[in-house]
Amino acid sequence: MTWDLLNIIGTIAFAISGALVAMEEDYDLLGVIILGLVTAFGGGIIRNVLIGIPVDSIWQQGLLLKSALAAMGIVFFMPSNFIQFSKKSLHFFDAIGLSAFAIQGAIAATSMNHPISAVIVAAILTGIGGGIIRDILAGRKPVVLREEIYAVWALLGGLIVGLNMVNSLVDYMILFIVLVCFRMLSVKYNWKLPHRAL
Amino acid sequence: MTWDLLNIIGTIAFAISGALVAMEEDYDLLGVIILGLVTAFGGGIIRNVLIGIPVDSIWQQGLLLKSALAAMGIVFFMPSNFIQFSKKSLHFFDAIGLSAFAIQGAIAATSMNHPISAVIVAAILTGIGGGIIRDILAGRKPVVLREEIYAVWALLGGLIVGLNMVNSLVDYMILFIVLVCFRMLSVKYNWKLPHRAL
Amino acid sequence: MTWDLLNIIGTIAFAISGALVAMEEDYDLLGVIILGLVTAFGGGIIRNVLIGIPVDSIWQQGLLLKSALAAMGIVFFMPSNFIQFSKKSLHFFDAIGLSAFAIQGAIAATSMNHPISAVIVAAILTGIGGGIIRDILAGRKPVVLREEIYAVWALLGGLIVGLNMVNSLVDYMILFIVLVCFRMLSVKYNWKLPHRAL
């Protein structure tokens, strides 16, 4: 249940984020759908490969696919003033996908009794996959490697799940919302980690 | 039979398209072979991952590999006037790979009794994989996201296979040739889909 | 034993090469860790997918993960004069990863009784995967497609393993060191293959 909910949330959010990037780059209708699909399902495929779920199980999820297509259709045909709003909220949908998939990766690694270091890495790689595919395909620098704090929130999610601090559906939803909020705060206030140039 | 024929056609076509892109970018002999191999087998690996075939089965296809290497060798050592011709026909070999792999993806999804929406998405993602890998590696904008109609033809192939409108080897070959022709007509007459900028 | 040793050497080397590229690009602390992780485990995942090892087995390798993290930590907090040295030696760590993973790919293909052509292609694709992921993510042209001889050494490793010319751990280690040396000599003396522009 938790898994399915996070799955549908993450897939739709990544689909919308891909569609928004495609519209920013002035792609045509099918380009919008393709980039949305590749982002949504590419992220899911990376997640499945990383955590050992058979990849072709994604084709059985007709509901998921229809939801993603419907969400992209709504974005494409939305009135202009809403799109202006949505464009600004690219970071928002991306944050939702990041958070949902990071928690899924952590749950999967925990259920296989892996050590906490592996749970954290699984959370990070699972969370960032969709955004990386989207940005590489659109010829952009991957958001994960940009300035504001991004993957730290996947890391934090992995840590909290790995320490068994969340148990119920409600707990997971709270964790999910908290991670999305932290990511959005990072964007708003331009939070950065220390860095060191060569 | 249909499957094997499409497989060898698609793999050789993607190998040649990768080799042609590498020669356009002035890569050396091994660069040409590498980009050809990565395009041909990367596309096949994406197809296998997406439709649930064990990936390491590609190593058992010695004939496929030798055909791809032979095709790239012919392209590399071809007289200049033929290469000029081949350069222009990059779109042609790419169209062949797109069409062959799209039909394979659709056949695989159909044989697993997936709904038609999944068959169409499988056709699109399987068809566009090889070209995306080739263009990303060569530092180009993926052809699937450029102006002329591209993925629509994979979508159409998925729709026709999903509706069980093709049954015999001859039917599949006709569908394959029709898709290649439509893609080439899109390039020649610069057919575009509607688009909407933000 | 040979396998595990090559695995840990290759993973740490790719992790360091990813961290160095990230520091050259002035990424922050987590960006350094992420690019290092994605390079190290992305290369390993590509290797696993290509040679048919279950991908989620990477999460069981806690030692491997800790070694990679420790190596990246050392690189990040190293005094500046050492980093200057390390920056120049990006090619060195990349060569180690290339050589270790190429030999692994060749061993795996040989153990499955594939023909020598498949062993060579497995060596090449397995060896170059990590470096390709790293360079694409950092927005660079993949090192495999640049001027100096690179993938030839993976090809040579595949050929030697495929011909059963190495049998003991000592043999494999000598082959590994020879391949690294040849790659470094290619960089130092700017060895190139013939090429032909269109």
Side-chain angles (χ1 to χ4, degrees), chain A residues 14 107 112:
Chain A
F14 271 140
I107 292 174
M112 290 186 285

Side-chain angles (χ1 to χ4, degrees), chain A residues 112-153:
Chain A
M112 290 186 285
N113 294 311
H114 292 335
I116 190 155
S117 56
V119 174
I120 291 172
V121 172
I124 294 176
L125 294 186
T126 310
I128 66 180
I132 286 180
I133 288 184
R134 181 194 61 224
D135 294 337
I136 295 280
L137 279 184
R140 299 182 170 195
K141 187 169 183 175
V143 66
V144 64
L145 297 172
R146 280 188 218 141
E147 294 284 288
E148 315 92 11
I149 292 180
Y150 184 86
V152 169
W153 308 120

Side-chain angles (χ1 to χ4, degrees), chain C residues 30 70 83 86 88 100 135 193:
Chain C
L30 201 72
I83 291 195
S86 294
K88 284 172 199 151
D135 293 336
L193 287 177

Side-chain angles (χ1 to χ4, degrees), chain C residues 27-180:
Chain C
Y27 293 158
D28 66 21
L29 175 56
L30 201 72
V32 170
I33 292 174
I34 295 285
L35 196 59
L37 283 177
V38 172
T39 305
F41 289 96
I45 287 164
I46 287 185
R47 183 203 56 202
N48 286 8
V49 167
L50 285 173
I51 67 187
I53 299 176
V55 168
D56 54 341
S57 65
I58 59 166
W59 308 119
Q60 292 155 15
Q61 300 166 326
L63 177 65
L64 204 62
L65 183 61
K66 280 169 204 152
S67 311
L69 288 171
M72 289 187 284
I74 290 171
V75 168
F76 194 79
F77 293 110
M78 203 182 270
S80 285
N81 49 338
F82 278 92
I83 291 195
Q84 287 301 328
F85 172 74
S86 294
K87 184 182 175 183
K88 284 172 199 151
S89 52
L90 167 59
H91 282 301
F92 177 62
F93 290 107
D94 184 73
I96 293 175
L98 168 74
S99 175
F101 277 18
I103 294 173
Q104 286 193 316
I107 292 174
T110 307
S111 71
M112 289 186 286
N113 293 313
H114 292 334
I116 190 154
S117 56
V119 174
I120 290 172
V121 172
I124 293 175
L125 294 185
T126 310
I128 67 180
I132 287 178
I133 289 184
R134 180 195 61 222
D135 293 336
I136 295 280
L137 278 182
R140 300 181 170 195
K141 186 169 183 175
V143 65
V144 64
L145 297 173
R146 280 188 219 141
E147 294 284 287
E148 315 91 11
I149 292 179
Y150 183 87
V152 170
W153 309 121
L155 184 160
L156 182 66
L159 184 67
I160 290 172
V161 172
L163 294 173
N164 286 313
M165 293 165 67
V166 283
N167 297 294
S168 66
L169 174 60
V170 175
D171 286 359
Y172 280 110
M173 284 302 118
I174 291 173
L175 174 61
F176 164 70
I177 291 166
V178 166
L179 294 179
V180 173

Side-chain angles (χ1 to χ4, degrees), chain A residues 77-184:
Chain A
F77 294 110
M78 202 182 269
S80 285
N81 49 338
F82 277 92
I83 290 196
Q84 287 300 327
F85 172 74
S86 295
K87 184 182 172 181
K88 284 172 199 150
S89 53
L90 168 60
H91 282 300
F92 177 63
F93 290 106
D94 185 72
I96 293 175
L98 168 75
S99 176
F101 277 19
I103 294 173
Q104 286 193 316
I107 292 174
T110 308
S111 71
M112 290 186 285
N113 294 311
H114 292 335
I116 190 155
S117 56
V119 174
I120 291 172
V121 172
I124 294 176
L125 294 186
T126 310
I128 66 180
I132 286 180
I133 288 184
R134 181 194 61 224
D135 294 337
I136 295 280
L137 279 184
R140 299 182 170 195
K141 187 169 183 175
V143 66
V144 64
L145 297 172
R146 280 188 218 141
E147 294 284 288
E148 315 92 11
I149 292 180
Y150 184 86
V152 169
W153 308 120
L155 184 159
L156 182 66
L159 185 67
I160 290 172
V161 172
L163 293 173
N164 286 314
M165 292 166 68
V166 282
N167 295 294
S168 66
L169 175 59
V170 175
D171 287 358
Y172 279 110
M173 285 300 119
I174 293 173
L175 174 61
F176 164 70
I177 291 166
V178 166
L179 294 180
V180 172
C181 292
F182 272 125
R183 167 60 188 156
M184 294 312 291

